[in-house]
Amino acid sequence: MNVDDIVAEKIAAARARIEATKRRRAALAAARQRGLAHRHAQKLRNLEASRQREASPAESDGLVYDDVVVEVTTEEFHAAVRGSLARLGLTYAELEDQARRRDFTSAQAQSLWVSIGGAVNTELLEEQ
């Protein structure tokens, strides 16, 4: 056995590994697609069943059900903001700076800014 035969065997083995990997990935991708299709179909069935359950009482008693609206006072809002900022370990100024730079330290910080950005009275926030 010479060097060319050894190299040819190694190349053939590498090609076989590559082909096996391609087949394995294709099988996994197909299984994933089947699973996603099943999951989406089940989700649609659940949504349809939920809509039917919600529609049935309204049709039977003739009432229209609206969404629930919760109103909070200014003090409650600012207390919630203080608590959220404390959990994140940030001040409002730091959060505002992160928003200005568009570089948030976490997804929670970005979510908080989307929820409260510009709606906070900093004087009321610092009072308590």
Side-chain angles (χ1 to χ4, degrees), residues 55-101:
S56 296
E59 293 170 2
S60 65
D61 60 12
L63 298 176
V64 176
Y65 296 95
D66 291 334
D67 291 334
V68 175
V69 176
V70 177
E71 293 185 24
V72 295
T73 65
T74 303
E75 293 79 21
E76 291 172 327
F77 173 75
H78 284 85
V81 169
R82 277 191 296 279
S84 297
L85 288 169
R87 278 191 298 281
L88 292 175
L90 295 171
T91 64
Y92 184 77
E94 291 170 336
L95 185 64
E96 192 173 34
D97 182 56
Q98 290 178 16
R100 192 177 307 110
R101 291 182 289 118

Side-chain angles (χ1 to χ4, degrees), residues 11-67:
I11 290 172
R15 286 186 179 144
R17 282 193 308 274
I18 290 169
E19 285 302 315
T21 301
K22 285 182 183 178
R23 284 192 304 275
R24 187 172 52 253
R25 286 184 179 168
L28 288 172
R32 181 176 184 275
Q33 287 301 318
R34 286 191 305 274
L36 286 173
H38 176 74
R39 184 172 127 199
H40 291 171
Q42 184 62 43
K43 190 171 188 177
L44 287 174
R45 285 191 294 271
N46 290 344
L47 283 172
E48 184 59 31
S50 175
R51 284 189 194 125
Q52 288 176 356
R53 281 192 304 274
E54 289 174 1
S56 296
E59 293 170 2
S60 65
D61 60 12
L63 298 176
V64 176
Y65 296 95
D66 291 334
D67 291 334

Side-chain angles (χ1 to χ4, degrees), residues 1-17:
M1 185 174 260
N2 64 24
V3 172
D4 292 334
D5 293 337
I6 294 172
V7 170
E9 284 179 9
K10 290 190 183 246
I11 290 172
R15 286 186 179 144
R17 282 193 308 274

